[in-house]
Amino acid sequence: KTLAHDECITLVKRTMSDYINHVKSLSEVGPSGELPAPDIKPQEKETSDMHPDPAAAAPAMLGEEDTTQAMGNDAEVAPRVKKRKCAIFVVYLGHKYQGMQRNPGAKTIEDELFQAMCKAGAISEKTAAEEKAFQKINWSRAARTDKGVSAICQVVSTNFIPLEGIVEEVNGHLPDDIRILGYQRTVKGFDARKSCDRRRYEYILPEWMFDPSFQPTSREQMTGLSPEQFIARRNPTYRFDEADMVKINGILAQYEGTHNFHNYTVRVNASEPQAKRYMLSFTCEGVAEIKGQRWVRMVVVGQSFMLHQIRKMIGMAVAVFRDMVPDTALRHALRSREREGVPMAPDLGLFLDRCYFESYNANWGQSRGCLDSDLSFGYQIQAFKHERLYPSLVDRDQVEQCNATWIQDLYAKRFRYFSRYPGFVEQAWDIVPQPECAKVEDGHADVSGDMKACADHPDGVQHNNDSKRPRPAPVNDVPRMQPPKANKRPMMDISAEYSD
């Protein structure tokens, strides 16, 4: 109804007066212990219907968790448990998985962890069924480990229901090679990836790979021997001593600082900003004896890493240490704007060792508690590292011969990797790729492979070669026919709308 101004004021005053009188009457209990009914005049029934009894509206004024108490014993409704933002500490063996990050169609650590949390009740069925469930619960990981890479201190941040005994319940639904150590409450805006200041990785290699006297003497030793026969020729008396540690530390120190690592990753050009990374330290931590074998430990600490970056850094360092390439090759690959050949070590010995949250601890450590895996789960982490991780790496290397296969392949492809580096000296046992004449079809040279102009063929026919790939010259100076450019409509400028 449409009321005048004075009528509205009168209606409001009358309604408030009735409400105040009714609240006062609640304190007057009759002889039978019952509350008196409100005194409502017949003409005021319509008004009272618009303002129900406050006692009936009590559940709406209380919190969601107190809904059952306000409704009384007649209605049994389970209290709603809220999700909380927490940091989850996870350890795992990664050689059976295709990395940490969730990838549709692939077996990943995140998928196993998410499914186990759903089965344990930490994530509701309604949330798990949504298409963007990971975004809804603000799922984030501190480090995106690659395929085959393990971790003894992975941190995942997400919103989940911290039920009593939830850690044991989730571990009951996880495979044996993935375990949750525990969780810690954080601030609402905590993000594991963005809040992580540094990551520390460790890489281990068998001691015999640093023996400089273990060199092939002929091409047959690289192509005609199995990995077991190849490593059987190593010197069993060799020991990684202090001089070797000084030498490898001098090589690894060249990675420290800010450099352009475009040659130490894939699908990244030198001009892209993401190619520049900052390495805080890269050192050799000595030798560890694992199941009767001696393995050399190397530890790198950096702000962030790209795909395959650490494995390529280790591969180049081993090649320089074994004198397979000039000493200047490592720094040349860091400074060169061109694409240079860099070998990649196996994924076997690499694992995430620790994640640092120093800025978060400085701001919220006193009120929320510091995120420090060594303080909270140090004993469990070391037990998993020495009882599960190290033995599994040694057993896998004995079965698959990952390191022997890689070092044998590295010698076989030495010329292809390093022939373009300044100061490269070809050895008698180097396997040099033989050029093959490219086929000429329709008056043009076949450019399916790596091409380089051949001086022995003045007609313009080119050969396959693993060196730099210049644009092939047309045969007999016949210009290539370019298709006509289609008229395209001008594109709209959407940089402002979709800028980061």
Side-chain angles (χ1 to χ4, degrees):
K1 297 181 181 180
T2 304
L3 302 178
H5 182 267
D6 295 340
E7 294 177 341
C8 290
I9 295 177
T10 303
L11 179 61
V12 171
K13 288 182 178 180
R14 186 175 59 186
T15 304
M16 293 300 299
S17 177
D18 295 339
Y19 182 80
I20 293 173
N21 293 335
H22 175 62
V23 172
K24 290 181 179 180
S25 65
L26 293 178
S27 60
E28 300 175 2
V29 182
S32 60
E34 298 179 354
L35 295 176
D39 185 14
I40 304 177
K41 298 179 182 180
Q43 63 273 17
E44 299 180 22
K45 282 187 177 181
E46 183 178 354
T47 304
S48 63
D49 294 338
M50 297 173 57
H51 304 275
D53 186 0
M61 293 186 290
L62 296 176
E64 293 178 347
E65 299 178 2
D66 300 328
T67 302
T68 303
Q69 179 181 358
M71 295 181 65
N73 299 328
D74 295 334
E76 296 182 359
V77 179
R80 177 174 178 263
V81 182
K82 292 184 177 180
K83 296 187 291 288
R84 304 295 181 184
K85 173 61 75 67
C86 300
I88 307 174
F89 295 86
V90 187
V91 296
Y92 54 84
L93 304 177
H95 67 275
K96 294 182 181 179
Y97 302 91
Q98 296 180 338
M100 170 67 185
Q101 188 177 12
R102 175 174 172 264
N103 188 9
K107 185 179 180 181
T108 62
I109 304 294
E110 279 189 345
D111 276 333
E112 297 288 343
L113 185 59
F114 181 80
Q115 294 174 8
M117 294 179 66
C118 294
K119 295 177 182 179
I123 300 175
S124 63
E125 297 180 359
K126 180 181 178 181
T127 302
E130 295 186 9
E131 183 179 357
K132 297 183 179 180
F134 279 76
Q135 291 84 343
K136 184 175 181 179
I137 60 177
N138 298 318
W139 185 285
S140 178
R141 88 289 304 170
R144 185 179 57 183
T145 54
D146 299 334
K147 177 183 177 181
V149 179
S150 304
I152 62 173
C153 181
Q154 177 69 276
V155 180
V156 175
S157 63
T158 184
N159 297 326
F160 74 97
I161 305 173
L163 301 173
E164 184 177 356
I166 192 62
V167 175
E168 293 76 11
E169 187 70 20
V170 174
N171 285 333
H173 296 284
L174 283 172
D176 185 60
D177 48 8
I178 304 176
R179 280 293 174 266
I180 289 182
L181 302 180
Y183 66 90
Q184 182 174 333
R185 286 282 305 276
T186 62
V187 297
K188 186 176 181 180
F190 175 75
D191 186 283
R193 182 182 65 85
K194 297 179 181 179
S195 301
C196 186
D197 304 306
R198 295 177 291 163
R199 287 93 174 164
R200 185 175 72 189
Y201 283 85
E202 182 174 329
Y203 196 99
I204 61 173
L205 284 171
E207 184 183 44
W208 60 265
M209 294 187 67
F210 295 89
D211 184 5
S213 63
F214 179 40
Q215 301 279 355
T217 57
S218 63
R219 298 181 181 180
E220 290 73 15
Q221 292 182 358
M222 295 178 293
T223 59
L225 299 179
S226 65
E228 293 82 359
Q229 295 173 338
F230 182 75
I231 62 173
R233 299 177 55 258
R234 69 180 185 272
N235 182 12
T237 62
Y238 168 76
R239 289 295 179 267
F240 186 84
D241 54 15
E242 189 67 25
D244 293 331
M245 183 177 295
V246 173
K247 181 179 179 180
I248 191 63
N249 278 329
I251 296 173
L252 297 176
Q254 301 180 53
Y255 290 120
E256 297 178 356
T258 302
H259 300 285
N260 193 316
F261 287 93
H262 77 101
N263 280 319
Y264 291 85
T265 185
V266 294
R267 298 187 297 271
V268 176
N269 297 325
S271 58
E272 299 183 30
Q274 61 178 351
K276 289 190 176 182
R277 303 287 163 146
Y278 177 53
M279 301 295 111
L280 284 82
S281 63
F282 204 164
T283 58
C284 176
E285 300 293 332
V287 180
E289 187 169 346
I290 308 171
K291 302 188 71 172
Q293 302 182 20
R294 292 168 59 87
W295 291 67
V296 180
R297 300 173 55 242
M298 289 171 285
V299 178
V300 56
V301 181
Q303 285 184 341
S304 59
F305 301 89
M306 294 180 289
L307 179 64
H308 303 326
Q309 179 182 341
I310 299 178
R311 294 169 59 186
K312 283 180 171 286
M313 294 165 68
I314 293 292
M316 177 62 82
V318 171
V320 174
F321 185 90
R322 297 182 62 85
D323 299 325
M324 299 176 63
V325 67
D327 297 340
T328 59
L330 188 151
R331 191 167 294 276
H332 176 77
L334 291 174
R335 295 177 177 178
S336 176
R337 306 286 293 183
E338 302 294 336
R339 180 64 66 182
E340 306 291 349
V342 176
M344 183 170 64
D347 58 8
L348 172 70
L350 180 61
F351 61 91
L352 176 64
D353 189 59
R354 187 178 179 184
C355 298
Y356 296 86
F357 300 91
E358 296 177 349
S359 299
Y360 175 86
N361 294 337
N363 296 328
W364 304 100
Q366 294 183 354
S367 59
R368 293 286 187 171
C370 293
L371 294 178
D372 193 326
S373 58
D374 290 345
L375 293 177
S376 303
F377 311 100
Y379 177 79
Q380 296 171 270
I381 290 175
Q382 293 302 318
F384 183 85
K385 180 179 181 180
H386 293 278
E387 297 176 7
R388 296 287 308 278
L389 178 60
Y390 278 160
S392 68
L393 299 181
V394 175
D395 293 341
R396 182 186 169 197
D397 187 53
Q398 291 179 346
V399 174
E400 302 179 6
Q401 294 293 337
C402 300
N403 290 297
T405 303
W406 175 68
I407 200 69
Q408 187 179 14
D409 186 69
L410 183 59
Y411 273 107
K413 298 179 179 179
R414 173 179 176 269
F415 186 89
R416 193 187 74 175
Y417 279 127
F418 309 119
S419 59
R420 296 183 64 250
Y421 282 85
F424 175 81
V425 178
E426 183 179 346
Q427 301 293 337
W429 43 263
D430 276 331
I431 300 178
V432 181
Q434 297 296 327
E436 298 179 0
C437 291
K439 298 180 180 180
V440 179
E441 297 180 0
D442 299 333
H444 295 84
D446 182 13
V447 294
S448 58
D450 294 338
M451 311 302 295
K452 184 178 180 181
C454 180
D456 297 333
H457 294 75
D459 55 356
V461 179
Q462 303 182 355
H463 295 287
N464 293 330
N465 195 292
D466 288 330
S467 59
K468 186 180 177 182
R469 312 179 193 180
R471 185 179 181 89
V475 178
N476 297 329
D477 296 331
V478 178
R480 293 180 179 270
M481 299 299 295
Q482 299 293 339
K485 295 183 178 180
N487 294 328
K488 296 183 179 180
R489 299 179 58 185
M491 299 181 63
M492 299 177 59
D493 184 12
I494 58 174
S495 57
E497 181 179 357
Y498 294 95
S499 60
D500 294 337

